[in-house]
């Protein structure tokens, strides 16, 4: 839900920046730059989130491997 809200905010800001750049007489390249930067920030948020998720899965996998190895070591005696 948070991602959808952030996506909608990103689209509103980038659309507003692009529309504002159409009416600018001086520095019309600022609008597309702002729109591109906002989209890049959103994409960075999304990729960071997936990286954190994959790191967490790897930690859980290592923990389960350790736990199974510990149980196997105890069951041999």
């Amino acid at each position: 839900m948070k991602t959808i809200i952030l996506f909608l905010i990103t689209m509103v800001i980038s659309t507003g920046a692009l529309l504002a750049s159409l009416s600018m007489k001086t520095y019309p390249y600022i609008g597309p730059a702002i729109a591109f930067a906002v989209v890049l920030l959103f994409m960075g948020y999304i990729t960071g989130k997936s990286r954190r998720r994959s790191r967490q899965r790897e930690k859980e996998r290592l923990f389960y491997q350790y736990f199974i190895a510990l149980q196997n070591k105890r069951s041999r005696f």
Side-chain angles (χ1 to χ4, degrees):
M1 186 69 181
K2 181 179 176 183
T3 306
I4 294 171
I5 292 171
L6 287 176
F7 176 73
L8 292 175
I9 291 171
T10 300
M11 290 300 112
V12 167
I13 291 172
S14 62
T15 303
L18 289 173
L19 289 174
S21 71
L22 290 175
S23 64
M24 288 183 177
K25 300 224 187 300
T26 58
Y27 306 117
Y29 53 84
I30 296 291
I34 290 172
F36 188 67
V38 169
V39 170
L40 281 179
L41 286 172
F42 177 73
M43 289 173 59
Y45 169 76
I46 295 296
T47 58
K49 191 175 181 180
S50 66
R51 263 191 234 135
R52 283 190 299 266
R53 236 187 262 148
S54 67
R55 270 189 254 141
Q56 182 65 30
R57 277 191 304 247
E58 180 66 20
K59 284 181 185 179
E60 289 173 0
R61 186 185 66 78
L62 288 172
F63 173 74
Y64 289 132
Q65 282 181 347
Y66 170 75
F67 189 68
I68 290 170
L70 194 62
Q71 281 184 337
N72 289 339
K73 187 185 286 187
R74 286 183 183 169
S75 65
R76 290 183 189 161
F77 295 113

